[in-house]
Amino acid sequence: MASKYELQEESNGKLLNALREEVEMTTFDENLDSEKPEASGDATILDDKAKELLLKIICIGGFTGGVGTKGVLIDDYLQVWPPVTTYRAPLIGANFYLKSLRWQRSEGQKPISIKLQFWEIAEQERYSNMVKLYFRDSVGALVFWGARRPSTLEEALLWRANVKEICPSIPCVLVTDNIGKEPLQWIGPGKIFESDEALEQFCNVNGFVDHFEINSRDWESGEKSVFGQAVICLLNEIFKNH
């Protein structure tokens, strides 16, 4: 039985790599459709594409109960059209998303081209041996939990423990899904966290570089959205470490 299971994992790994390559080709081409180069700038743009830095970010955590899956929040950040308007069922396995952007590490430095590869990993995959394959080559993690499902905070810590074990050096940002008819008050006396200081201490103790709360859908803001701020925070930390 053991050898059969190992063969199955090997097969899954090959399938996963093939799927990743296919997604990179199709999604990246689609993301560039809205950025048609002018004729005079074709050579420069092609040169930039050739020099793009690929950064893999894993999106992990329990079923938050807000918008259905983490993928809806990723779609909003990527400004995928049309925006998701229906409840999305829980994910099985993993989904892949790509985004290209220009990143300037500091003033005076030349911006560089980055291709972000987001891996949305299903909630139940924490128990799977595939998790090591999903985490491979990642440089940062967005760890999600839902304020409307307090138990997912414990799941977030378990996912964080997985990251520490498999990719101990990558930074993690905690993201709260608090989307509903009205934002839920989860910080204060008698709440999940007694104060903002308690939340900050929780992040420090458990190795989260920062925390961001998403309490409404935001398709229009892109990099300026709460999700975008979480990504920028993660990128800052990634480049600080490398």
Side-chain angles (χ1 to χ4, degrees), residues 59-64 70 121-124 126 142-145 152 155-156 159:
C59 299
I60 53 181
F63 181 61
T64 62
K70 299 175 283 291
I121 301 174
E123 294 76 21
Q124 70 276 6
R126 184 173 62 82
L142 296 174
V143 186
F144 292 77
W145 76 286
T152 57
E155 293 181 56
W159 276 104

Side-chain angles (χ1 to χ4, degrees), residues 198-214:
L199 172 59
E200 184 176 347
Q201 182 180 10
F202 172 87
C203 290
N204 289 336
V205 168
N206 292 288
F208 296 106
V209 297
D210 209 339
H211 165 265
F212 295 85
E213 178 185 0
I214 301 176

Side-chain angles (χ1 to χ4, degrees), residues 184-199:
L184 184 69
Q185 202 63 26
W186 53 277
I187 298 178
K191 305 295 183 181
I192 298 174
F193 289 98
E194 288 286 324
S195 63
D196 291 326
E197 290 74 17
L199 172 59

Side-chain angles (χ1 to χ4, degrees), residues 140-226:
L142 296 174
V143 186
F144 292 77
W145 76 286
R148 298 168 190 279
R149 293 172 59 92
S151 63
T152 57
L153 187 58
E154 292 296 326
E155 293 181 56
L157 291 180
L158 294 173
W159 276 104
R160 179 68 183 98
N162 276 352
V163 174
K164 286 181 181 178
E165 179 185 351
I166 301 170
C167 307
S169 63
I170 71 172
C172 295
V173 168
L174 184 65
V175 180
T176 302
D177 176 1
N178 190 15
I179 296 177
K181 291 183 178 179
E182 292 183 3
L184 184 69
Q185 202 63 26
W186 53 277
I187 298 178
K191 305 295 183 181
I192 298 174
F193 289 98
E194 288 286 324
S195 63
D196 291 326
E197 290 74 17
L199 172 59
E200 184 176 347
Q201 182 180 10
F202 172 87
C203 290
N204 289 336
V205 168
N206 292 288
F208 296 106
V209 297
D210 209 339
H211 165 265
F212 295 85
E213 178 185 0
I214 301 176
N215 53 32
S216 64
R217 294 284 302 278
D218 185 356
W219 182 84
E220 297 181 351
S221 299
E223 304 302 327
K224 296 180 180 179
S225 66
V226 175

Side-chain angles (χ1 to χ4, degrees), residues 54-71:
L54 176 65
L55 299 178
K56 175 182 173 181
I57 296 174
I58 51 176
C59 299
I60 53 181
F63 181 61
T64 62
V67 293
T69 71
K70 299 175 283 291

Side-chain angles (χ1 to χ4, degrees), residues 7-238:
L7 287 173
Q8 180 64 38
E9 182 173 339
E10 181 181 349
S11 174
N12 286 340
K14 291 179 180 178
L15 179 61
L16 190 64
N17 289 331
L19 180 58
R20 176 173 57 183
E21 292 174 3
E22 181 181 348
V23 170
E24 282 189 16
M25 293 296 294
T26 57
T27 311
F28 187 43
D29 288 342
E30 290 172 1
N31 285 347
L32 289 177
D33 283 346
S34 59
E35 301 178 4
K36 299 293 185 182
E38 296 181 4
S40 59
D42 283 354
T44 303
I45 290 176
L46 288 173
D47 185 56
D48 284 346
K49 283 172 62 179
K51 295 178 181 178
E52 260 190 331
L53 178 65
L54 176 65
L55 299 178
K56 175 182 173 181
I57 296 174
I58 51 176
C59 299
I60 53 181
F63 181 61
T64 62
V67 293
T69 71
K70 299 175 283 291
V72 175
L73 300 175
I74 299 172
D75 277 347
D76 285 349
Y77 168 62
L78 299 181
Q79 297 176 305
V80 173
W81 181 263
V84 176
T85 56
T86 58
Y87 184 81
R88 187 179 288 178
L91 175 67
I92 297 175
N95 269 345
F96 313 90
Y97 309 78
L98 289 172
K99 179 180 178 65
S100 293
L101 56 82
R102 299 285 287 174
W103 178 260
Q104 186 173 13
R105 295 179 61 177
S106 61
E107 271 189 54
Q109 288 191 320
K110 184 180 178 181
I112 60 174
S113 295
I114 295 177
K115 179 163 64 173
L116 298 179
Q117 186 184 75
F118 294 97
W119 283 49
E120 178 199 6
I121 301 174
E123 294 76 21
Q124 70 276 6
E125 292 299 325
R126 184 173 62 82
Y127 306 101
S128 168
N129 285 344
M130 287 289 290
V131 72
K132 289 185 178 180
L133 289 173
Y134 291 140
F135 282 23
R136 183 183 295 168
D137 300 325
S138 58
V139 295
L142 296 174
V143 186
F144 292 77
W145 76 286
R148 298 168 190 279
R149 293 172 59 92
S151 63
T152 57
L153 187 58
E154 292 296 326
E155 293 181 56
L157 291 180
L158 294 173
W159 276 104
R160 179 68 183 98
N162 276 352
V163 174
K164 286 181 181 178
E165 179 185 351
I166 301 170
C167 307
S169 63
I170 71 172
C172 295
V173 168
L174 184 65
V175 180
T176 302
D177 176 1
N178 190 15
I179 296 177
K181 291 183 178 179
E182 292 183 3
L184 184 69
Q185 202 63 26
W186 53 277
I187 298 178
K191 305 295 183 181
I192 298 174
F193 289 98
E194 288 286 324
S195 63
D196 291 326
E197 290 74 17
L199 172 59
E200 184 176 347
Q201 182 180 10
F202 172 87
C203 290
N204 289 336
V205 168
N206 292 288
F208 296 106
V209 297
D210 209 339
H211 165 265
F212 295 85
E213 178 185 0
I214 301 176
N215 53 32
S216 64
R217 294 284 302 278
D218 185 356
W219 182 84
E220 297 181 351
S221 299
E223 304 302 327
K224 296 180 180 179
S225 66
V226 175
F227 192 105
Q229 293 171 35
V231 172
I232 289 172
C233 172
L234 197 56
L235 288 175
N236 281 326
E237 201 67 25
I238 290 168

